[in-house]
Amino acid sequence: DTVFEVALTALLLITAPDALEKEKDVRKAANKAISPMDRKQWDQFYQTIQGVEAAINEGRTKPEVWAKVKGLAEHLSQHYVGHRFRAGGGLCTSMCEWVMAASAYHELSSEMATKKKQLS
């Protein structure tokens, strides 16, 4: 499912970009990085998700990673509505929406930081 893999790729770029460098198959990379069956790994993923907003606000993000996320989020915005996921439809839709929202928030935050510098 291409839409699912695009969303999963963006999610991994946001939360565990190194996972995609080690494993090119996004599903295998996600299984290792997110791993809901491994409580320690799952808790680490969950903490990372919770920290995304702070990382964006504090400028601890990599622009090159977020440029990729933005492209993937734009793809999702055009393809996820009405898409029939093979399994977990509601969860997959929520993941798509979260990725798009995170990308939009990052874009807005970056623009605000640039404008703050210009005003200083």
Side-chain angles (χ1 to χ4, degrees), residues 30-43:
N31 193 39
K32 290 177 185 174
I34 298 170
S35 193
M37 303 307 266
D38 178 343
R39 183 60 190 221
K40 182 179 176 185
Q41 191 67 30
W42 174 256
D43 288 346

Side-chain angles (χ1 to χ4, degrees), residues 5-78:
E5 289 185 357
V6 168
L8 195 56
T9 299
L11 181 67
L12 285 177
L13 284 171
I14 294 168
T15 60
D18 295 341
L20 290 170
E21 291 177 15
K22 296 175 185 173
E23 175 61 63
K24 298 303 177 196
D25 182 311
V26 68
R27 291 174 187 251
K28 289 180 182 177
N31 193 39
K32 290 177 185 174
I34 298 170
S35 193
M37 303 307 266
D38 178 343
R39 183 60 190 221
K40 182 179 176 185
Q41 191 67 30
W42 174 256
D43 288 346
Q44 182 179 349
F45 168 73
Y46 188 72
Q47 284 181 326
T48 302
I49 286 286
Q50 289 182 313
V52 169
E53 181 181 9
I56 291 170
N57 291 340
E58 296 166 8
R60 294 184 284 120
T61 60
K62 295 179 181 176
E64 64 277 6
V65 169
W66 281 90
K68 292 176 187 175
V69 171
K70 181 181 177 183
L72 295 170
E74 288 172 358
H75 178 83
L76 288 174
S77 71
Q78 297 170 5

